[in-house]
mmCIF file of all heavy atoms in Angstrom:
data_model
loop_
_atom_site.group_PDB
_atom_site.id
_atom_site.type_symbol
_atom_site.label_atom_id
_atom_site.label_comp_id
_atom_site.label_asym_id
_atom_site.label_seq_id
_atom_site.Cartn_x
_atom_site.Cartn_y
_atom_site.Cartn_z
ATOM 1 N N ALA E 1 16.213 -10.624 -18.293
ATOM 2 C CA ALA E 1 14.828 -11.095 -18.171
ATOM 3 C C ALA E 1 14.385 -11.112 -16.706
ATOM 4 O O ALA E 1 13.267 -10.706 -16.377
ATOM 5 C CB ALA E 1 14.696 -12.501 -18.779
ATOM 6 N N ASP E 2 15.269 -11.564 -15.819
ATOM 7 C CA ASP E 2 14.932 -11.583 -14.386
ATOM 8 C C ASP E 2 14.710 -10.167 -13.863
ATOM 9 O O ASP E 2 13.802 -9.928 -13.060
ATOM 10 C CB ASP E 2 16.046 -12.264 -13.589
ATOM 11 C CG ASP E 2 16.134 -13.760 -13.852
ATOM 12 O OD1 ASP E 2 15.135 -14.308 -14.370
ATOM 13 O OD2 ASP E 2 17.172 -14.365 -13.562
ATOM 14 N N LEU E 3 15.546 -9.226 -14.321
ATOM 15 C CA LEU E 3 15.396 -7.845 -13.882
ATOM 16 C C LEU E 3 14.078 -7.256 -14.381
ATOM 17 O O LEU E 3 13.385 -6.546 -13.639
ATOM 18 C CB LEU E 3 16.570 -7.000 -14.394
ATOM 19 C CG LEU E 3 16.534 -5.517 -14.025
ATOM 20 C CD1 LEU E 3 16.564 -5.344 -12.517
ATOM 21 C CD2 LEU E 3 17.695 -4.771 -14.668
ATOM 22 N N ALA E 4 13.723 -7.557 -15.623
ATOM 23 C CA ALA E 4 12.459 -7.051 -16.168
ATOM 24 C C ALA E 4 11.272 -7.617 -15.389
ATOM 25 O O ALA E 4 10.306 -6.900 -15.095
ATOM 26 C CB ALA E 4 12.345 -7.410 -17.654
ATOM 27 N N ARG E 5 11.330 -8.906 -15.042
ATOM 28 C CA ARG E 5 10.249 -9.503 -14.252
ATOM 29 C C ARG E 5 10.187 -8.892 -12.851
ATOM 30 O O ARG E 5 9.104 -8.643 -12.314
ATOM 31 C CB ARG E 5 10.441 -11.022 -14.157
ATOM 32 C CG ARG E 5 10.019 -11.782 -15.401
ATOM 33 C CD ARG E 5 9.908 -13.263 -15.117
ATOM 34 N NE ARG E 5 11.205 -13.854 -14.835
ATOM 35 C CZ ARG E 5 12.009 -14.357 -15.758
ATOM 36 N NH1 ARG E 5 11.640 -14.339 -17.028
ATOM 37 N NH2 ARG E 5 13.159 -14.886 -15.437
ATOM 38 N N PHE E 6 11.359 -8.648 -12.273
ATOM 39 C CA PHE E 6 11.400 -8.043 -10.939
ATOM 40 C C PHE E 6 10.765 -6.650 -10.964
ATOM 41 O O PHE E 6 9.986 -6.290 -10.074
ATOM 42 C CB PHE E 6 12.844 -7.952 -10.463
ATOM 43 C CG PHE E 6 13.023 -7.121 -9.217
ATOM 44 C CD1 PHE E 6 12.660 -7.612 -7.976
ATOM 45 C CD2 PHE E 6 13.554 -5.846 -9.302
ATOM 46 C CE1 PHE E 6 12.822 -6.851 -6.834
ATOM 47 C CE2 PHE E 6 13.712 -5.072 -8.173
ATOM 48 C CZ PHE E 6 13.349 -5.575 -6.931
ATOM 49 N N GLU E 7 11.093 -5.869 -11.984
ATOM 50 C CA GLU E 7 10.532 -4.522 -12.094
ATOM 51 C C GLU E 7 9.021 -4.576 -12.307
ATOM 52 O O GLU E 7 8.275 -3.769 -11.742
ATOM 53 C CB GLU E 7 11.203 -3.771 -13.245
ATOM 54 C CG GLU E 7 12.649 -3.424 -12.963
ATOM 55 C CD GLU E 7 13.342 -2.777 -14.145
ATOM 56 O OE1 GLU E 7 12.711 -2.694 -15.221
ATOM 57 O OE2 GLU E 7 14.486 -2.354 -13.994
ATOM 58 N N ALA E 8 8.570 -5.536 -13.126
ATOM 59 C CA ALA E 8 7.126 -5.662 -13.363
ATOM 60 C C ALA E 8 6.397 -6.063 -12.083
ATOM 61 O O ALA E 8 5.333 -5.523 -11.760
ATOM 62 C CB ALA E 8 6.868 -6.692 -14.465
ATOM 63 N N ASP E 9 6.982 -7.009 -11.332
ATOM 64 C CA ASP E 9 6.356 -7.431 -10.074
ATOM 65 C C ASP E 9 6.320 -6.284 -9.075
ATOM 66 O O ASP E 9 5.319 -6.082 -8.372
ATOM 67 C CB ASP E 9 7.119 -8.619 -9.471
ATOM 68 C CG ASP E 9 6.962 -9.880 -10.303
ATOM 69 O OD1 ASP E 9 6.021 -9.928 -11.117
ATOM 70 O OD2 ASP E 9 7.783 -10.804 -10.149
ATOM 71 N N LEU E 10 7.423 -5.531 -9.013
ATOM 72 C CA LEU E 10 7.474 -4.409 -8.081
ATOM 73 C C LEU E 10 6.443 -3.351 -8.448
ATOM 74 O O LEU E 10 5.779 -2.776 -7.579
ATOM 75 C CB LEU E 10 8.885 -3.810 -8.087
ATOM 76 C CG LEU E 10 9.137 -2.645 -7.123
ATOM 77 C CD1 LEU E 10 8.872 -3.074 -5.685
ATOM 78 C CD2 LEU E 10 10.553 -2.120 -7.271
ATOM 79 N N LYS E 11 6.294 -3.103 -9.748
ATOM 80 C CA LYS E 11 5.312 -2.115 -10.203
ATOM 81 C C LYS E 11 3.900 -2.558 -9.871
ATOM 82 O O LYS E 11 3.068 -1.762 -9.419
ATOM 83 C CB LYS E 11 5.462 -1.901 -11.707
ATOM 84 C CG LYS E 11 4.597 -0.772 -12.250
ATOM 85 C CD LYS E 11 4.892 -0.552 -13.724
ATOM 86 C CE LYS E 11 4.039 0.592 -14.264
ATOM 87 N NZ LYS E 11 4.297 0.823 -15.700
ATOM 88 N N ASP E 12 3.623 -3.865 -10.076
ATOM 89 C CA ASP E 12 2.291 -4.388 -9.751
ATOM 90 C C ASP E 12 2.000 -4.269 -8.263
ATOM 91 O O ASP E 12 0.887 -3.916 -7.855
ATOM 92 C CB ASP E 12 2.180 -5.851 -10.179
ATOM 93 C CG ASP E 12 2.135 -6.009 -11.690
ATOM 94 O OD1 ASP E 12 1.840 -5.004 -12.370
ATOM 95 O OD2 ASP E 12 2.420 -7.105 -12.182
ATOM 96 N N LYS E 13 3.004 -4.553 -7.425
ATOM 97 C CA LYS E 13 2.799 -4.478 -5.981
ATOM 98 C C LYS E 13 2.552 -3.048 -5.536
ATOM 99 O O LYS E 13 1.714 -2.791 -4.681
ATOM 100 C CB LYS E 13 4.014 -5.056 -5.259
ATOM 101 C CG LYS E 13 4.128 -6.565 -5.366
ATOM 102 C CD LYS E 13 5.357 -7.083 -4.653
ATOM 103 C CE LYS E 13 5.463 -8.598 -4.779
ATOM 104 N NZ LYS E 13 6.683 -9.114 -4.121
ATOM 105 N N LEU E 14 3.296 -2.100 -6.144
ATOM 106 C CA LEU E 14 3.120 -0.707 -5.763
ATOM 107 C C LEU E 14 1.763 -0.170 -6.216
ATOM 108 O O LEU E 14 1.122 0.602 -5.508
ATOM 109 C CB LEU E 14 4.241 0.139 -6.358
ATOM 110 C CG LEU E 14 5.632 -0.077 -5.749
ATOM 111 C CD1 LEU E 14 6.676 0.726 -6.509
ATOM 112 C CD2 LEU E 14 5.635 0.315 -4.283
ATOM 113 N N GLU E 15 1.334 -0.585 -7.428
ATOM 114 C CA GLU E 15 0.046 -0.105 -7.928
ATOM 115 C C GLU E 15 -1.126 -0.776 -7.215
ATOM 116 O O GLU E 15 -2.183 -0.180 -7.044
ATOM 117 C CB GLU E 15 -0.047 -0.367 -9.432
ATOM 118 C CG GLU E 15 0.901 0.501 -10.259
ATOM 119 C CD GLU E 15 0.831 0.152 -11.727
ATOM 120 O OE1 GLU E 15 0.218 -0.888 -12.069
ATOM 121 O OE2 GLU E 15 1.399 0.902 -12.537
ATOM 122 N N GLY E 16 -0.942 -2.040 -6.801
ATOM 123 C CA GLY E 16 -2.054 -2.769 -6.212
ATOM 124 C C GLY E 16 -2.157 -2.644 -4.708
ATOM 125 O O GLY E 16 -3.160 -3.038 -4.112
ATOM 126 N N SER E 17 -1.122 -2.101 -4.061
ATOM 127 C CA SER E 17 -1.149 -2.014 -2.603
ATOM 128 C C SER E 17 -1.696 -0.674 -2.157
ATOM 129 O O SER E 17 -1.580 0.333 -2.851
ATOM 130 C CB SER E 17 0.258 -2.217 -2.048
ATOM 131 O OG SER E 17 1.100 -1.176 -2.498
ATOM 132 N N ASP E 18 -2.315 -0.663 -0.969
ATOM 133 C CA ASP E 18 -2.807 0.567 -0.360
ATOM 134 C C ASP E 18 -1.819 0.941 0.718
ATOM 135 O O ASP E 18 -1.562 0.174 1.639
ATOM 136 C CB ASP E 18 -4.190 0.313 0.250
ATOM 137 C CG ASP E 18 -4.839 1.610 0.731
ATOM 138 O OD1 ASP E 18 -4.143 2.644 0.680
ATOM 139 O OD2 ASP E 18 -6.007 1.578 1.139
ATOM 140 N N PHE E 19 -1.233 2.133 0.602
ATOM 141 C CA PHE E 19 -0.177 2.523 1.527
ATOM 142 C C PHE E 19 -0.691 2.715 2.951
ATOM 143 O O PHE E 19 0.088 2.723 3.889
ATOM 144 C CB PHE E 19 0.493 3.815 1.053
ATOM 145 C CG PHE E 19 1.339 3.624 -0.161
ATOM 146 C CD1 PHE E 19 0.899 4.066 -1.399
ATOM 147 C CD2 PHE E 19 2.553 2.981 -0.076
ATOM 148 C CE1 PHE E 19 1.673 3.882 -2.509
ATOM 149 C CE2 PHE E 19 3.335 2.804 -1.191
ATOM 150 C CZ PHE E 19 2.894 3.249 -2.412
ATOM 151 N N GLU E 20 -2.005 2.896 3.120
ATOM 152 C CA GLU E 20 -2.546 3.096 4.459
ATOM 153 C C GLU E 20 -3.034 1.771 5.014
ATOM 154 O O GLU E 20 -3.749 1.023 4.353
ATOM 155 C CB GLU E 20 -3.708 4.088 4.434
ATOM 156 C CG GLU E 20 -3.278 5.515 4.132
ATOM 157 C CD GLU E 20 -4.459 6.462 4.226
ATOM 158 O OE1 GLU E 20 -5.594 5.991 4.080
ATOM 159 O OE2 GLU E 20 -4.229 7.647 4.451
ATOM 160 N N ASN E 21 -2.655 1.476 6.252
ATOM 161 C CA ASN E 21 -3.097 0.271 6.938
ATOM 162 C C ASN E 21 -4.567 0.414 7.311
ATOM 163 O O ASN E 21 -4.966 1.443 7.832
ATOM 164 C CB ASN E 21 -2.245 0.103 8.200
ATOM 165 C CG ASN E 21 -2.436 -1.275 8.812
ATOM 166 O OD1 ASN E 21 -3.484 -1.889 8.638
ATOM 167 N ND2 ASN E 21 -1.422 -1.727 9.524
ATOM 168 N N PRO E 22 -5.411 -0.608 7.057
ATOM 169 C CA PRO E 22 -6.826 -0.502 7.441
ATOM 170 C C PRO E 22 -6.988 -0.181 8.918
ATOM 171 O O PRO E 22 -7.876 0.562 9.312
ATOM 172 C CB PRO E 22 -7.393 -1.886 7.099
ATOM 173 C CG PRO E 22 -6.488 -2.404 6.032
ATOM 174 C CD PRO E 22 -5.135 -1.846 6.342
ATOM 175 N N GLY E 23 -6.105 -0.727 9.755
ATOM 176 C CA GLY E 23 -6.183 -0.437 11.175
ATOM 177 C C GLY E 23 -5.943 1.023 11.473
ATOM 178 O O GLY E 23 -6.603 1.630 12.328
ATOM 179 N N SER E 24 -5.005 1.617 10.731
ATOM 180 C CA SER E 24 -4.718 3.029 10.963
ATOM 181 C C SER E 24 -5.869 3.903 10.489
ATOM 182 O O SER E 24 -6.131 4.964 11.048
ATOM 183 C CB SER E 24 -3.419 3.415 10.241
ATOM 184 O OG SER E 24 -3.574 3.310 8.848
ATOM 185 N N ARG E 25 -6.613 3.417 9.409
ATOM 186 C CA ARG E 25 -7.757 4.191 8.944
ATOM 187 C C ARG E 25 -8.852 4.215 10.004
ATOM 188 O O ARG E 25 -9.478 5.238 10.267
ATOM 189 C CB ARG E 25 -8.297 3.595 7.636
ATOM 190 C CG ARG E 25 -7.427 3.899 6.426
ATOM 191 C CD ARG E 25 -8.252 3.782 5.151
ATOM 192 N NE ARG E 25 -8.843 2.447 5.018
ATOM 193 C CZ ARG E 25 -8.248 1.451 4.382
ATOM 194 N NH1 ARG E 25 -7.059 1.624 3.868
ATOM 195 N NH2 ARG E 25 -8.844 0.275 4.275
ATOM 196 N N SER E 26 -9.124 3.054 10.624
ATOM 197 C CA SER E 26 -10.155 3.027 11.657
ATOM 198 C C SER E 26 -9.731 3.841 12.864
ATOM 199 O O SER E 26 -10.545 4.488 13.517
ATOM 200 C CB SER E 26 -10.431 1.571 12.066
ATOM 201 O OG SER E 26 -9.262 0.981 12.609
ATOM 202 N N LEU E 27 -8.404 3.814 13.157
ATOM 203 C CA LEU E 27 -7.905 4.600 14.273
ATOM 204 C C LEU E 27 -8.082 6.082 14.000
ATOM 205 O O LEU E 27 -8.495 6.852 14.873
ATOM 206 C CB LEU E 27 -6.432 4.264 14.512
ATOM 207 C CG LEU E 27 -5.740 4.974 15.683
ATOM 208 C CD1 LEU E 27 -6.451 4.610 16.985
ATOM 209 C CD2 LEU E 27 -4.286 4.592 15.752
ATOM 210 N N LYS E 28 -7.787 6.492 12.760
ATOM 211 C CA LYS E 28 -7.964 7.898 12.390
ATOM 212 C C LYS E 28 -9.434 8.295 12.435
ATOM 213 O O LYS E 28 -9.777 9.408 12.802
ATOM 214 C CB LYS E 28 -7.394 8.153 10.991
ATOM 215 C CG LYS E 28 -5.871 8.126 10.945
ATOM 216 C CD LYS E 28 -5.380 8.420 9.556
ATOM 217 C CE LYS E 28 -3.860 8.375 9.487
ATOM 218 N NZ LYS E 28 -3.386 8.626 8.125
ATOM 219 N N LYS E 29 -10.308 7.322 12.045
ATOM 220 C CA LYS E 29 -11.727 7.630 12.058
ATOM 221 C C LYS E 29 -12.205 7.881 13.485
ATOM 222 O O LYS E 29 -12.932 8.841 13.774
ATOM 223 C CB LYS E 29 -12.511 6.475 11.423
ATOM 224 C CG LYS E 29 -14.009 6.732 11.338
ATOM 225 C CD LYS E 29 -14.692 5.568 10.649
ATOM 226 C CE LYS E 29 -16.186 5.803 10.560
ATOM 227 N NZ LYS E 29 -16.879 4.657 9.912
ATOM 228 N N GLY E 30 -11.760 6.993 14.400
ATOM 229 C CA GLY E 30 -12.127 7.184 15.792
ATOM 230 C C GLY E 30 -11.540 8.455 16.361
ATOM 231 O O GLY E 30 -12.160 9.172 17.140
ATOM 232 N N ARG E 31 -10.304 8.728 15.930
ATOM 233 C CA ARG E 31 -9.645 9.939 16.413
ATOM 234 C C ARG E 31 -10.349 11.189 15.907
ATOM 235 O O ARG E 31 -10.472 12.188 16.598
ATOM 236 C CB ARG E 31 -8.182 9.907 15.960
ATOM 237 C CG ARG E 31 -7.330 11.021 16.560
ATOM 238 C CD ARG E 31 -5.904 10.915 16.088
ATOM 239 N NE ARG E 31 -5.271 9.699 16.599
ATOM 240 C CZ ARG E 31 -4.067 9.287 16.195
ATOM 241 N NH1 ARG E 31 -3.425 9.968 15.265
ATOM 242 N NH2 ARG E 31 -3.543 8.202 16.708
ATOM 243 N N SER E 32 -10.836 11.126 14.625
ATOM 244 C CA SER E 32 -11.511 12.302 14.074
ATOM 245 C C SER E 32 -12.823 12.575 14.789
ATOM 246 O O SER E 32 -13.229 13.722 14.951
ATOM 247 C CB SER E 32 -11.756 12.097 12.570
ATOM 248 O OG SER E 32 -12.624 11.001 12.373
ATOM 249 N N GLN E 33 -13.519 11.487 15.235
ATOM 250 C CA GLN E 33 -14.763 11.695 15.983
ATOM 251 C C GLN E 33 -14.477 12.355 17.320
ATOM 252 O O GLN E 33 -15.230 13.204 17.791
ATOM 253 C CB GLN E 33 -15.457 10.355 16.193
ATOM 254 C CG GLN E 33 -16.024 9.759 14.902
ATOM 255 C CD GLN E 33 -16.599 8.387 15.116
ATOM 256 O OE1 GLN E 33 -16.454 7.799 16.198
ATOM 257 N NE2 GLN E 33 -17.275 7.868 14.097
ATOM 258 N N LYS E 34 -13.347 11.981 17.961
ATOM 259 C CA LYS E 34 -12.965 12.624 19.208
ATOM 260 C C LYS E 34 -12.568 14.069 18.964
ATOM 261 O O LYS E 34 -12.817 14.947 19.784
ATOM 262 C CB LYS E 34 -11.802 11.880 19.858
ATOM 263 C CG LYS E 34 -12.181 10.503 20.384
ATOM 264 C CD LYS E 34 -10.993 9.845 21.031
ATOM 265 C CE LYS E 34 -11.359 8.454 21.547
ATOM 266 N NZ LYS E 34 -10.172 7.792 22.173
#
């Protein structure tokens, strides 16, 4: 049961998280303008 909950939590975190840092997105945006 603990393993099933761990897998479900891990799946939720992976699906709900954005792999790109907002700071890196703004940095890329500024870099693209340059």
Side-chain angles (χ1 to χ4, degrees):
D2 291 342
L3 179 61
R5 282 194 293 271
F6 169 75
E7 291 176 355
D9 292 342
L10 182 59
K11 187 175 181 180
D12 289 342
K13 288 179 180 178
L14 290 175
E15 291 177 349
S17 63
D18 188 354
F19 289 105
E20 290 184 337
N21 192 333
S24 65
R25 285 202 302 269
S26 62
L27 182 61
K28 288 182 181 178
K29 182 178 180 181
R31 188 179 294 172
S32 63
Q33 290 175 352
K34 291 181 181 179

